[in-house]
Coordinates of all heavy atoms in Angstrom, one line a residue:
Q16 N 20.3 -38.4 -5.5 CA 21.1 -39.1 -4.6 C 21.3 -40.6 -5.0 O 22.3 -41.2 -4.6 CB 20.4 -39.1 -3.2 CG 20.4 -37.8 -2.5 CD 19.7 -37.8 -1.2 OE1 19.7 -38.8 -0.5 NE2 19.1 -36.7 -0.8
A17 N 20.4 -41.1 -5.9 CA 20.5 -42.5 -6.3 C 21.4 -42.7 -7.5 O 21.8 -43.8 -7.7 CB 19.1 -43.0 -6.6
L18 N 21.7 -41.6 -8.3 CA 22.5 -41.8 -9.5 C 23.9 -42.1 -9.1 O 24.5 -41.6 -8.2 CB 22.4 -40.5 -10.3 CG 21.1 -40.1 -10.9 CD1 21.1 -38.7 -11.4 CD2 20.8 -41.1 -12.1
T19 N 24.5 -43.1 -9.9 CA 25.9 -43.5 -9.7 C 26.5 -43.5 -11.1 O 25.9 -43.4 -12.2 CB 26.0 -44.8 -9.1 OG1 25.7 -45.9 -10.0 CG2 25.1 -45.0 -7.8
K20 N 27.8 -43.7 -11.1 CA 28.5 -43.8 -12.4 C 28.1 -45.0 -13.2 O 28.4 -45.1 -14.4 CB 30.1 -43.8 -12.1 CG 30.6 -45.0 -11.3 CD 32.1 -44.9 -11.1 CE 32.6 -46.0 -10.2 NZ 32.4 -47.3 -10.8
D21 N 27.5 -46.0 -12.5 CA 27.1 -47.3 -13.2 C 25.7 -47.2 -13.6 O 25.2 -48.2 -14.2 CB 27.3 -48.4 -12.2 CG 28.8 -48.7 -11.9 OD1 29.6 -48.6 -12.8 OD2 29.1 -49.0 -10.8
T22 N 24.9 -46.1 -13.4 CA 23.5 -46.0 -13.8 C 23.4 -46.0 -15.3 O 24.0 -45.1 -15.9 CB 22.9 -44.8 -13.2 OG1 23.0 -44.8 -11.7 CG2 21.4 -44.8 -13.5
I23 N 22.6 -46.9 -15.8 CA 22.4 -47.0 -17.3 C 21.0 -46.7 -17.7 O 20.8 -46.3 -18.8 CB 22.8 -48.4 -17.8 CG1 22.0 -49.5 -17.2 CG2 24.3 -48.6 -17.6 CD1 22.1 -50.8 -17.9
L24 N 20.1 -46.8 -16.8 CA 18.7 -46.6 -17.1 C 17.9 -46.0 -15.9 O 18.1 -46.5 -14.8 CB 18.0 -47.9 -17.6 CG 16.5 -47.9 -17.7 CD1 16.0 -46.9 -18.9 CD2 15.9 -49.3 -17.9
V25 N 17.1 -45.0 -16.2 CA 16.2 -44.5 -15.2 C 14.8 -44.5 -15.8 O 14.6 -44.0 -16.9 CB 16.5 -43.0 -14.8 CG1 15.4 -42.5 -13.8 CG2 17.9 -43.0 -14.1
S26 N 13.8 -45.1 -15.1 CA 12.4 -45.2 -15.6 C 11.5 -44.7 -14.5 O 11.4 -45.3 -13.5 CB 12.1 -46.7 -16.0 OG 10.8 -46.7 -16.5
V27 N 10.8 -43.6 -14.8 CA 9.9 -43.0 -13.9 C 8.6 -42.7 -14.6 O 8.6 -42.0 -15.6 CB 10.5 -41.7 -13.3 CG1 9.5 -41.0 -12.3 CG2 11.8 -41.9 -12.6
M28 N 7.5 -43.1 -14.0 CA 6.2 -42.9 -14.7 C 5.8 -41.4 -14.6 O 6.2 -40.7 -13.7 CB 5.1 -43.7 -14.1 CG 4.7 -43.4 -12.6 SD 3.7 -44.6 -11.8 CE 2.8 -45.4 -13.0
M29 N 5.1 -40.9 -15.6 CA 4.7 -39.5 -15.7 C 3.6 -39.2 -14.7 O 3.7 -38.2 -14.0 CB 4.3 -39.2 -17.1 CG 3.9 -37.7 -17.3 SD 3.6 -37.3 -19.0 CE 5.2 -37.4 -19.8
V30 N 2.6 -40.0 -14.7 CA 1.4 -39.9 -13.8 C 1.1 -41.2 -13.1 O 1.0 -42.2 -13.8 CB 0.2 -39.4 -14.6 CG1 -1.0 -39.4 -13.6 CG2 0.4 -38.0 -15.1
N31 N 1.1 -41.2 -11.8 CA 0.8 -42.5 -11.2 C -0.7 -42.9 -11.4 O -1.6 -42.1 -11.3 CB 1.0 -42.4 -9.7 CG 0.8 -43.7 -9.0 OD1 -0.2 -44.0 -8.4 ND2 1.8 -44.6 -9.0
N32 N -0.9 -44.1 -11.8 CA -2.2 -44.6 -12.2 C -3.2 -44.8 -11.0 O -4.4 -45.0 -11.2 CB -2.1 -45.9 -13.0 CG -1.3 -47.0 -12.2 OD1 -0.2 -46.8 -11.7 ND2 -1.9 -48.2 -12.1
E33 N -2.7 -44.7 -9.8 CA -3.6 -44.9 -8.6 C -3.9 -43.6 -7.9 O -5.0 -43.4 -7.5 CB -3.0 -45.9 -7.6 CG -3.0 -47.4 -8.2 CD -2.7 -48.4 -7.1 OE1 -3.2 -48.3 -6.0 OE2 -1.9 -49.3 -7.4
T34 N -2.8 -42.8 -7.7 CA -3.0 -41.5 -6.9 C -3.1 -40.3 -7.8 O -3.5 -39.2 -7.3 CB -1.8 -41.4 -6.0 OG1 -0.6 -41.1 -6.7 CG2 -1.7 -42.6 -5.1
G35 N -2.7 -40.3 -9.0 CA -2.7 -39.1 -9.9 C -1.5 -38.2 -9.6 O -1.5 -37.1 -10.1
A36 N -0.5 -38.7 -8.9 CA 0.7 -37.9 -8.6 C 1.4 -37.7 -10.0 O 1.6 -38.6 -10.7 CB 1.6 -38.6 -7.6
V37 N 1.8 -36.4 -10.2 CA 2.5 -36.1 -11.4 C 4.0 -35.9 -11.1 O 4.3 -35.1 -10.2 CB 1.9 -34.8 -12.0 CG1 2.7 -34.4 -13.3 CG2 0.5 -35.0 -12.4
M38 N 4.8 -36.6 -11.8 CA 6.3 -36.6 -11.5 C 7.0 -35.5 -12.3 O 6.5 -35.3 -13.5 CB 6.9 -38.0 -11.8 CG 6.2 -39.1 -11.1 SD 5.9 -39.0 -9.3 CE 4.9 -40.4 -9.0
P39 N 8.0 -34.9 -11.8 CA 8.7 -33.9 -12.6 C 9.6 -34.4 -13.7 O 10.9 -34.4 -13.6 CB 9.5 -33.1 -11.5 CG 9.8 -34.2 -10.5 CD 8.6 -35.1 -10.5
I40 N 9.0 -35.0 -14.7 CA 9.8 -35.8 -15.7 C 10.8 -34.9 -16.4 O 12.0 -35.4 -16.6 CB 8.8 -36.4 -16.7 CG1 7.9 -37.4 -16.0 CG2 9.6 -37.1 -17.8 CD1 8.6 -38.5 -15.3
A41 N 10.5 -33.7 -16.9 CA 11.5 -32.9 -17.6 C 12.7 -32.6 -16.8 O 13.8 -32.8 -17.3 CB 10.8 -31.6 -18.1
Q42 N 12.5 -32.3 -15.5 CA 13.6 -32.0 -14.6 C 14.4 -33.2 -14.4 O 15.7 -33.2 -14.3 CB 13.2 -31.4 -13.3 CG 12.5 -30.0 -13.5 CD 11.0 -30.1 -13.5 OE1 10.4 -31.0 -14.3 NE2 10.3 -29.3 -12.8
M43 N 13.7 -34.4 -14.2 CA 14.4 -35.6 -13.9 C 15.3 -36.0 -15.1 O 16.4 -36.5 -14.9 CB 13.4 -36.7 -13.6 CG 12.8 -36.6 -12.2 SD 11.6 -37.9 -11.9 CE 11.4 -37.8 -10.1
A44 N 14.7 -35.9 -16.3 CA 15.4 -36.3 -17.5 C 16.7 -35.5 -17.7 O 17.8 -36.0 -18.0 CB 14.5 -36.2 -18.7
K45 N 16.6 -34.2 -17.5 CA 17.7 -33.3 -17.6 C 18.8 -33.6 -16.6 O 20.0 -33.5 -16.9 CB 17.2 -31.8 -17.5 CG 16.4 -31.4 -18.7 CD 15.8 -30.0 -18.5 CE 14.9 -29.7 -19.7 NZ 14.2 -28.4 -19.5
L46 N 18.3 -33.9 -15.3 CA 19.3 -34.2 -14.3 C 20.1 -35.5 -14.7 O 21.3 -35.5 -14.5 CB 18.5 -34.5 -13.0 CG 19.3 -35.1 -11.8 CD1 20.4 -34.1 -11.4 CD2 18.4 -35.5 -10.7
V47 N 19.4 -36.5 -15.1 CA 20.0 -37.8 -15.5 C 21.0 -37.5 -16.6 O 22.2 -38.0 -16.6 CB 19.0 -38.8 -15.9 CG1 19.7 -40.0 -16.6 CG2 18.2 -39.3 -14.7
H48 N 20.7 -36.8 -17.6 CA 21.5 -36.5 -18.7 C 22.8 -35.7 -18.4 O 23.8 -35.8 -18.9 CB 20.8 -35.8 -19.9 CG 19.8 -36.7 -20.5 ND1 18.6 -36.3 -21.1 CD2 19.7 -38.1 -20.7 CE1 17.9 -37.3 -21.6 NE2 18.6 -38.4 -21.3
R49 N 22.6 -34.8 -17.3 CA 23.7 -34.0 -16.9 C 24.7 -34.9 -16.0 O 25.9 -34.8 -16.2 CB 23.2 -32.8 -16.1 CG 24.3 -31.9 -15.6 CD 23.8 -30.6 -15.0 NE 23.3 -30.9 -13.6 CZ 22.0 -30.9 -13.3 NH1 21.1 -30.6 -14.2 NH2 21.6 -31.2 -12.1
V50 N 24.2 -35.7 -15.1 CA 25.0 -36.4 -14.2 C 25.5 -37.7 -14.8 O 26.7 -38.1 -14.6 CB 24.2 -36.8 -12.9 CG1 25.1 -37.6 -12.0 CG2 23.8 -35.5 -12.2
C51 N 24.7 -38.4 -15.6 CA 25.0 -39.6 -16.3 C 24.8 -39.5 -17.8 O 23.7 -40.0 -18.3 CB 24.2 -40.8 -15.7 SG 24.4 -41.0 -13.9
P52 N 25.6 -38.9 -18.5 CA 25.3 -38.5 -19.9 C 25.0 -39.7 -20.8 O 24.3 -39.5 -21.8 CB 26.6 -37.8 -20.4 CG 27.3 -37.3 -19.1 CD 26.9 -38.4 -18.1
E53 N 25.5 -40.9 -20.5 CA 25.3 -42.0 -21.4 C 24.0 -42.8 -20.9 O 23.6 -43.7 -21.7 CB 26.5 -43.0 -21.4 CG 27.7 -42.3 -22.0 CD 28.9 -43.3 -22.1 OE1 28.9 -44.3 -21.3 OE2 29.8 -43.0 -22.8
A54 N 23.4 -42.5 -19.8 CA 22.3 -43.2 -19.3 C 21.0 -42.9 -20.1 O 20.9 -41.8 -20.7 CB 22.0 -42.9 -17.8
I55 N 20.1 -43.8 -20.1 CA 18.8 -43.6 -20.9 C 17.7 -43.3 -19.9 O 17.6 -43.9 -18.8 CB 18.5 -44.9 -21.6 CG1 19.5 -45.1 -22.8 CG2 17.0 -44.9 -22.2 CD1 19.3 -46.5 -23.5
F56 N 16.9 -42.3 -20.2 CA 15.7 -41.9 -19.4 C 14.5 -42.3 -20.1 O 14.2 -41.9 -21.2 CB 15.7 -40.5 -19.0 CG 14.7 -40.1 -18.0 CD1 15.0 -40.0 -16.7 CD2 13.4 -39.8 -18.4 CE1 14.0 -39.7 -15.7 CE2 12.4 -39.5 -17.5 CZ 12.7 -39.5 -16.1
H57 N 13.6 -43.1 -19.4 CA 12.3 -43.6 -19.9 C 11.2 -43.1 -19.0 O 11.4 -43.1 -17.8 CB 12.3 -45.1 -20.0 CG 10.9 -45.7 -20.2 ND1 10.2 -46.4 -19.2 CD2 10.1 -45.6 -21.3 CE1 9.1 -46.7 -19.7 NE2 8.9 -46.3 -20.9
T58 N 10.1 -42.7 -19.6 CA 8.9 -42.5 -18.8 C 7.7 -43.2 -19.4 O 7.5 -43.2 -20.6 CB 8.6 -41.0 -18.7 OG1 7.5 -40.8 -17.8 CG2 8.3 -40.3 -20.1
D59 N 7.0 -43.9 -18.5 CA 5.7 -44.5 -18.8 C 4.7 -43.4 -18.7 O 4.3 -43.0 -17.7 CB 5.4 -45.6 -17.8 CG 4.1 -46.2 -18.0 OD1 3.2 -45.7 -18.7 OD2 3.8 -47.3 -17.4
A60 N 4.3 -42.9 -19.9 CA 3.3 -41.8 -20.0 C 1.9 -42.2 -20.3 O 1.1 -41.4 -20.8 CB 3.8 -40.8 -21.0
V61 N 1.6 -43.5 -20.0 CA 0.3 -44.0 -20.3 C -0.8 -43.2 -19.7 O -1.8 -42.9 -20.3 CB 0.2 -45.5 -20.0 CG1 -1.2 -46.0 -20.0 CG2 1.1 -46.3 -20.9
Q62 N -0.7 -42.8 -18.4 CA -1.7 -42.0 -17.8 C -1.5 -40.5 -17.9 O -2.4 -39.7 -17.5 CB -1.7 -42.4 -16.3 CG -2.2 -43.8 -15.9 CD -3.6 -44.0 -16.3 OE1 -4.4 -43.1 -16.5 NE2 -4.0 -45.3 -16.3
G63 N -0.4 -40.1 -18.6 CA -0.2 -38.7 -18.8 C -0.5 -38.2 -20.2 O -0.8 -37.0 -20.4

C-alpha cells in the first residue's frame, strides 16, 4: 500500500534487534521489484 511511482528505496530489517520479529524479506524484495522496477531494496541483516 505504501509503494508509489516515486519510490526509489525500500529498507526493511531482516530481524528486529529487540523483539526477534522476522520480516518477509524475500517476498518484500520481489514485490518492490515488480511494482517499482527501478527502486532499490535494502535489508539490514545484522541480526539475521
Side-chain angles (χ1 to χ4, degrees):
Q16 292 180 30
L18 291 168
T19 76
K20 62 181 178 60
D21 294 320
T22 303
I23 60 167
L24 170 65
V25 176
S26 182
V27 179
M28 69 193 330
M29 183 176 288
V30 173
N31 186 264
N32 56 307
E33 293 192 39
T34 66
V37 178
M38 311 305 176
I40 296 302
Q42 297 96 313
M43 286 179 163
K45 290 172 184 174
L46 171 66
V47 170
H48 291 150
R49 184 174 70 251
V50 177
C51 302
E53 294 183 343
I55 291 172
F56 188 92
H57 166 251
T58 184
D59 175 345
V61 166
Q62 294 293 346

